[in-house]
Amino acid sequence: MTAQTIAAGGVELAGVALAPLVVGGVQWLKARAQGRRGASALQPYRELRRLWGRAGVRPEPSSGVYALAVPVAVAATFLALLLLPIASIAPDWGLGNDALVLFGLLAVGRFALAAAAWDTGSGFELMGAARDLTIAVFVEALFLVVLALLAFPAHSTDLVAMSGAAASGEAWREPAQWAAALGLGLVILAEAGRRPIDNPDTHLELTMVHEGPTLEYAGRDLALLHWAAAARTWAVLVLAAEVLLPHPGAFAVQLLWLAGWIVVFVVLLALAETIQPKMRLLRVPVLLYGGAVIAMLGLAGRLLGVAA
Amino acid sequence: MTATGAAACAGAGLVAAGGLGALTGRVRASLTAQGIGVGLTAVAALVVFAGGAPVGAAFRSGVHPAFGLDALSGFFLLVLCVVALPALAYARAALPVGGRSVALAALTAAFVLAMAGLVAARDITTFLACWELMTLVPAAAMLVARQDEEVRRAVMVYVGITHVAAVGVWATMLILSAHGVLGGAPLGPGGLQSFVLVAALVGFLTKAGIAPLHVWLPRAHPVAPSHISALMSGVMIMLGIYGLSRVLFLWLTAVPTWVGVVLVGLGSLSALVGVLYALVQRELKRLLAFSSIEHAGIVVLGIGAALLLGSAGQPQWAAIAFAGAMLQILNHAAFKGALFLGAGAVADAAGTLQVDRMGGLLRRMPVTGGAIGLAALAIAGLPLLNGFVSEWIGLQALLRLPVEETDGLALVGAFGAATLAATAGLAALCFVGVAGLMLLGHARSPEAGAAREPAPGVRGAVAFLAALCLVLAVLAGVLVPRLAQLGPGSWSGSAALGLDLPGTGSLPTPLLLLALAVLTALVTLARGRRRAAPAPVWVSGQQDDSPLAWTLAGFTKPLRLMVDGVLRTRRDTVTTSSAGIVEAVRFRGDVPHLFDTHLFEPLLRLASRAASVARRMQSGSLRAYLGYLMVLVFVLLLLLRLEILS
């Protein structure tokens, strides 16, 4: 194992610590953009510390499913971080580096929290879980079309190979890549639970999507769930920076590219949240369909040999 | 005869003896004998599938009965045994003594033998005889088990549609046999091949429950006794895929590309139709029947991908796509078998099949409930369980087209992959809801609150199949390379601990599962055992009472609203008011099955009108029949005279 793979593994693990910073950064920048002072970007860490010291609750009725859901969701999200390519390489944890498996591991948390929602029988939790699973139907279909575009240069769904093929940025000469960028952007918004698909700041039960299933949790469970949500955002952002965006150069330069793209994403997310209100739930599929149609057009464009 | 052949024959003999023995009234002894017979057959099937030499005869074109097993037959025989063994254990524990059980036990043996005979048939006589028996025996079992109007109508539709479609199977087999294809060289492209292809698609896909010819399936499967439903859904419909695979990959060569495109289209349609209508059902067994349509669709998508990849010059991935479809069949047998047997157990314990009237069953019946939960998660495609593994292979195979090709096939592949992903998402919504409603939360009816764990035989049967879902996920890396040798193309992958397919980032399920388990344990430890205050769930400060409890309809409401343009829900609101005061509001909503209302019922009306015309001709008077004969002779003579007939 070379020093570079060790460093890449280190960055993968550092994601565990860095993920809340991304969420905090978006919140801070959003507040600034909206003319408020806002909490510091480190606020999520303080929240995690505060929640870690609190006692939990045990809703009536609930069984082991409610208690087990959080560790399963957190473990699956952590495994997803280990599948990410960093600067076009990844250490061999023996877990593979497949794009669909990564997406599947992110879905495990959705399953676990939906099961916990049924366990407590809470209407608001179930409402959020049902919406989350419903939106996932369209997101998964969209992701597959986007993957069909992004996997073409490497002829592989191996994330390391895809990342290597995307490094030079050659693919951006084709309209297919632009279509893929649009589609992947929508996937990021949905997976990270951001506006216009979901509002991470909502405190009204009736409007919650991702926040809904966390409603019955408190204390350490809630802290873990907050971390898992941040880690999911981190995972999709790193994924986009590696397999979609150009990052040429040597290993160290590629790491700088990665950091730069993450900062760009934070700015973009903050701006999008500032100018874009949440969409009506029933209109979300139209948005995602639209993304899938454009991605399909990108595919058709490639077949016809259209070049930008 | 080899030892393997002897074991298979002895197994079949024991099943037959058990079936005959049931007629003496000893139901449990009969089912035990059948179970031992199936176990023996399973060993033989496993040996042949795992790489043992073929046993018995090879396929021949004549009409003299012959039996034999090759690797593909061995695999399907294994699928049959995997479901039949727990189904028999279930029946042994659940069927009451005497009465209808005598006939049911005998019919179960006949059904198992018919399916085993079909996969072991090596000539058309046996093949077609077993094909017909496989259709008729479960129909008889349905009529024995229940004798009301609903079951009679269901059996009528089932037998009618499958027999009309059986014409396709007969035509396929007779043509192939007449042209010596079964015993010799495969049939090349041409007009005859196209005819055979159309006939085979209609005949075999109807049996597999592929839309738009699926309307018999959601009628027939729910009314059969649960162990027969498990066999019908887990094995019988997939034997349609067995026949189709033989035709497409072994008996025909250079199959044109349009067949692959049609299969991807029909597979996508069935997968979506199956899961969408499963979502709107309230009765568990009917829901499971629709889900079988979905899974047959997923298998057909894989077969279509295998054909397209073969014609696109990717033999490696053609073999893997086929292996994925076969693995899907085995996986489906495991979780659908578990769910149908579990549904039977729950129906006995909670007195209902309405999912909205169960609830809290995991606490009342931990073993059966836990097994149903595991099977439901597997069928929902929870990552790392077996359903996810075979869907992952299917997705990768379809993605191979846009990732490697730059022609129209790329669009077909991307479309198929997107549909399959949406299907997986819908299945997750459906089965997380079903499992949650059945197993978790409060009991939603007094009967569900008093449910008890069923007899050990029933528990064991459901638990065995559910455990298989986990085992199959771990063993995928061993099974796929072997399955890839049974169909088209060639792939030189060898058995390994995980799935390492070319051009993918690999799916090492054993390690991923292990890592997930270890990490979950670590997180649980880190969370520690802290004080947790009991608290009621948050319902905006109101009393938590049962009218507020969620139903499956509520859980799927966002999706139903989003796709209402396709589902076309019928809603009826009746408001009763007197003197300007609303006294009552009644709401009724249901989702009609559009294939019934727009396709099947018009056809049925047409058919019965034709039948009533034909009936007028059947006056029963001898003079009329003599008249018909004279007209016939006259017409034939006229045709001869005009030299149309020579």
Side-chain angles (χ1 to χ4, degrees):
Chain A
M1 194 181 271
T2 64
Q4 287 186 355
T5 44
I6 292 173
V11 176
E12 280 179 352
L13 293 174
V16 174
L18 287 173
L21 186 63
V22 169
V23 176
V26 173
Q27 292 299 93
W28 176 77
L29 209 61
K30 189 165 69 177
R32 285 296 160 124
Q34 292 167 0
R36 295 180 283 122
R37 255 183 78 199
S40 122
L42 298 177
Q43 186 62 21
Y45 296 100
R46 297 184 193 133
E47 294 275 339
L48 289 179
R49 199 186 62 199
R50 178 176 63 84
L51 287 170
W52 196 256
R54 290 266 183 95
V57 287
R58 184 163 48 82
E60 304 278 348
S62 69
S63 66
V65 175
Y66 167 85
L68 195 63
V70 172
V72 169
V74 168
T77 314
F78 180 79
L79 278 185
L81 294 184
L82 295 187
L83 262 54
L84 287 170
I86 301 290
S88 307
I89 53 172
D92 184 14
W93 301 98
L95 305 175
N97 294 91
D98 192 70
L100 286 174
V101 177
L102 176 93
F103 211 65
L105 284 170
L106 292 180
V108 170
R110 209 158 32 226
F111 273 84
L113 287 181
W118 277 111
D119 198 24
T120 62
S122 155
F124 295 122
E125 268 196 81
L126 281 168
M127 200 181 288
R131 289 170 180 175
D132 201 3
L133 285 169
T134 304
I135 292 173
V137 172
F138 301 95
V139 175
E140 281 171 19
L142 169 62
F143 181 69
L144 257 293
V145 187
V146 171
L147 191 60
L149 290 172
L150 287 179
F152 180 74
H155 299 300
S156 171
T157 59
D158 183 305
L159 288 169
V160 177
M162 285 168 72
S163 171
S168 66
E170 274 295 309
W172 288 86
R173 289 174 192 279
E174 274 189 62
Q177 188 76 359
W178 295 84
L182 189 108
L184 194 62
L186 290 174
V187 172
I188 291 175
L189 289 179
E191 279 295 316
R194 291 282 161 179
R195 277 192 278 189
I197 291 167
D198 185 10
N199 181 0
D201 300 331
T202 183
H203 292 290
L204 182 64
E205 298 97 326
L206 292 175
T207 62
M208 289 177 170
V209 181
H210 277 97
E211 291 291 303
T214 66
L215 201 60
E216 293 296 331
Y217 284 102
R220 293 192 169 180
D221 285 325
L222 189 57
L224 288 168
L225 285 179
H226 279 324
W227 174 82
R232 197 160 57 200
T233 307
W234 170 265
V236 287
L237 293 187
V238 172
L239 183 73
E242 287 291 325
V243 303
L244 177 75
L245 297 166
H247 47 276
F251 178 74
V253 182
Q254 291 205 13
L255 277 185
L256 286 178
W257 275 103
L258 176 60
W261 284 125
I262 297 279
V263 171
V264 170
F265 278 130
V266 167
V267 174
L268 285 178
L269 280 177
L271 288 179
E273 298 245 310
T274 305
I275 55 176
Q276 186 70 39
K278 183 169 176 291
M279 210 175 213
R280 211 183 145 212
L281 184 69
L282 297 183
R283 299 196 52 118
V284 168
V286 181
L287 179 72
L288 298 173
Y289 273 140
V293 168
I294 289 174
M296 273 286 192
L297 285 178
L299 194 61
R302 185 161 71 209
L303 306 187
L304 299 173
V306 180
Chain B
M1 189 188 281
T2 59
T4 323
C9 290
L14 260 175
V15 175
L20 289 175
L23 300 176
T24 63
R26 274 175 297 192
V27 172
R28 301 193 69 169
S30 149
L31 289 166
T32 311
Q34 291 181 37
I36 297 171
V38 169
L40 263 177
T41 314
V43 174
L46 188 63
V47 169
V48 174
F49 165 62
V55 293
F59 261 102
R60 56 172 76 160
S61 287
V63 291
H64 296 293
F67 290 99
L69 289 175
D70 58 6
L72 188 65
S73 296
F75 171 70
F76 275 91
L77 192 58
L78 191 64
V79 173
L80 168 65
C81 294
V82 159
V83 185
L85 202 57
L88 287 166
Y90 171 92
R92 188 174 174 277
L95 285 185
V97 179
R100 291 169 191 171
S101 306
V102 172
L104 274 181
L107 285 170
T108 307
F111 190 29
V112 170
L113 281 177
M115 290 193 286
L118 180 74
V119 294
R122 285 298 173 264
D123 65 295
I124 55 160
T125 319
T126 325
F127 189 95
L128 291 174
C130 287
W131 184 265
E132 292 299 317
L133 277 177
M134 183 175 85
T135 305
L136 292 175
V137 172
M142 283 176 227
L143 289 172
V144 167
R146 273 173 57 179
Q147 278 127 12
D148 47 65
E149 176 65 24
E150 188 199 349
V151 76
R152 278 198 295 272
R153 288 191 69 88
V155 168
M156 181 73 197
V157 171
Y158 162 59
V159 172
I161 293 182
T162 39
H163 266 120
V164 170
V167 173
V169 175
W170 280 75
T172 306
M173 297 308 288
L174 289 174
I175 291 174
L176 290 181
S177 177
H179 285 78
V181 172
L182 297 191
L187 187 62
L192 187 67
Q193 197 205 41
S194 302
F195 181 78
V196 168
L197 278 169
V198 173
L201 287 183
V202 172
F204 289 115
L205 290 185
T206 304
K207 194 72 196 171
I210 292 297
L213 293 165
H214 65 281
V215 287
W216 63 272
L217 200 152
R219 286 181 169 78
H221 287 209
V223 295
S226 289
H227 69 287
I228 300 283
S229 306
L231 282 168
M232 286 174 80
S233 189
V235 189
M236 185 186 80
I237 61 169
M238 295 305 180
L239 290 183
I241 305 292
Y242 163 76
L244 189 67
S245 304
R246 279 215 182 271
V247 172
L248 289 180
F249 300 122
L250 299 175
W251 290 334
L252 303 183
T253 53
V255 174
T257 313
W258 66 261
V259 182
V261 177
V262 166
L263 283 176
V264 169
L266 288 178
S268 302
L269 180 71
S270 304
L272 277 181
V273 163
V275 72
L276 266 181
Y277 282 103
L279 268 171
V280 297
Q281 303 304 318
R282 298 197 180 101
E283 205 228 45
L284 184 57
K285 281 176 80 173
R286 204 169 144 79
L287 186 152
L288 292 176
F290 272 108
S291 151
S292 296
I293 298 173
E294 173 213 338
H295 282 271
I298 295 176
V299 173
V300 167
L301 261 173
I303 301 278
L307 265 181
L308 291 179
L309 287 161
S311 63
Q314 296 192 50
Q316 214 177 14
W317 268 95
I320 298 171
F322 179 78
M326 293 298 116
L327 187 63
Q328 179 75 28
I329 289 177
L330 185 55
N331 289 340
H332 177 252
F335 41 62
K336 194 52 72 63
L339 287 174
F340 263 118
L341 296 183
V346 167
D348 285 342
T352 179
L353 274 171
Q354 301 290 320
V355 279
D356 291 334
R357 294 184 55 75
M358 297 176 184
L361 292 179
L362 188 59
R363 228 166 303 166
R364 306 288 315 175
M365 30 206 294
V367 177
T368 319
I372 292 174
L374 186 60
L377 288 176
I379 202 171
L382 175 72
L384 308 185
L385 287 180
N386 63 344
F388 175 76
V389 176
S390 45
E391 278 170 17
W392 182 79
I393 302 175
L395 285 172
Q396 292 285 9
L398 287 162
L399 272 183
R400 218 31 43 190
L401 292 166
V403 165
E404 299 280 0
E405 306 295 320
T406 48
D407 55 17
L409 289 186
L411 283 176
V412 176
F415 173 79
T419 320
L420 183 50
T423 306
L426 289 166
L429 180 67
C430 178
F431 280 97
V432 167
V434 168
L437 258 176
M438 287 174 68
L439 305 173
L440 305 174
H442 282 299
R444 288 147 187 274
S445 65
E447 295 81 15
R452 289 277 162 78
E453 193 77 80
V458 174
R459 272 202 304 258
V462 184
F464 167 76
L465 285 170
L468 203 59
C469 294
L470 206 57
V471 173
L472 286 175
V474 174
L475 286 184
V478 179
L479 286 170
V480 170
R482 176 64 192 137
L483 287 170
Q485 295 165 358
L486 305 185
S490 63
W491 178 48
S492 56
S494 53
L497 202 55
L499 268 177
D500 193 4
L501 307 182
T504 72
S506 80
L507 175 63
T509 31
L511 276 176
L512 280 167
L513 278 167
L514 186 69
L516 191 66
V518 169
L519 281 170
T520 305
L522 285 178
V523 175
T524 315
L525 276 179
R527 187 179 56 180
R529 291 185 160 276
R530 287 174 64 90
R531 253 177 336 105
V537 295
W538 176 243
V539 270
S540 301
Q542 297 176 29
Q543 283 279 318
D544 180 21
D545 50 358
S546 53
L548 284 180
W550 272 51
T551 57
L552 193 59
F555 195 65
T556 57
K557 182 90 180 179
L559 186 96
R560 285 186 297 124
L561 287 177
M562 287 170 186
V563 297
D564 206 34
V566 182
L567 286 179
R568 308 198 181 191
T569 312
R570 281 193 296 234
R571 294 189 181 85
D572 265 335
T573 317
V574 183
T575 314
T576 335
S577 58
S578 70
I581 298 168
V582 175
E583 288 184 329
V585 178
R586 277 196 321 185
F587 174 78
R588 250 187 81 256
D590 74 318
V591 181
H593 190 52
L594 291 181
F595 284 87
D596 271 0
T597 52
H598 286 67
L599 184 72
F600 175 62
E601 279 163 14
L603 277 178
L604 195 67
R605 274 198 296 276
L606 204 69
S608 40
R609 213 173 300 154
S612 59
V613 171
R615 192 147 137 211
R616 234 172 282 150
M617 290 165 63
Q618 307 278 355
S619 60
S621 110
L622 193 59
R623 268 176 297 176
Y625 290 119
L626 285 174
Y628 296 153
L629 268 181
M630 275 184 58
V631 171
L632 181 69
V633 170
F634 179 74
V635 168
L636 284 176
L637 284 174
L638 195 70
L639 288 178
L640 271 179
R641 180 83 194 154
L642 296 174
E643 292 182 353
I644 295 171
L645 282 179
S646 54

